[in-house]
Amino acid sequence: MLRPAALEAAVEDALRREEDRFALVARRLGQADLRGRGGAHALAQLVNGRDPAQAAAESTPEVLLERLMIAAGLPPPVRQFTLARDGRTYRVDLSYPEL
């Protein structure tokens, strides 16, 4: 079984690449009997606990940094935040736009 951060990074990568297929996997996990299937149970918990409004992480280091931020007591950051300044547009991987 993958470590939790690696599993989360794989889920985020799948969501970013194929959102329709991700939704299918989420539905199938909801219908399956997961008793005795530790890996599938961990995947189902991750998929079901994910905020659907949150953008997908774009890399494993991004997932790890977000986990560290939350473990340190910070609220979950906004992913892939777009910022416009002086006629230019920037995208920030993890942000607290309200600050």
Side-chain angles (χ1 to χ4, degrees):
M1 186 161 65
L2 291 174
R3 283 186 244 127
L7 180 59
E8 184 175 356
V11 166
E12 294 297 322
D13 183 62
L15 176 60
R16 189 177 69 252
R17 291 172 189 255
E18 297 187 48
E19 192 170 346
D20 293 339
R21 187 167 295 185
F22 181 85
L24 174 64
V25 168
R27 279 194 307 278
R28 293 278 167 86
L29 284 168
Q31 299 166 349
D33 178 8
L34 303 178
R35 290 178 293 191
R37 301 183 192 304
H41 183 70
L43 179 60
Q45 283 184 312
L46 187 59
V47 168
N48 294 329
R50 193 181 185 292
D51 178 359
Q54 184 77 291
E58 294 186 350
S59 68
T60 300
E62 189 176 321
V63 168
L64 293 171
L65 178 58
E66 182 179 23
R67 283 176 161 256
L68 286 172
M69 294 165 76
I70 293 169
L74 295 170
V78 173
R79 292 179 180 167
Q80 318 316 331
F81 181 73
T82 302
L83 175 68
R85 291 283 190 267
D86 301 324
R88 298 192 65 177
T89 302
Y90 305 91
R91 192 185 48 74
V92 181
D93 288 342
L94 301 170
S95 175
Y96 293 100
E98 65 279 358
L99 298 180

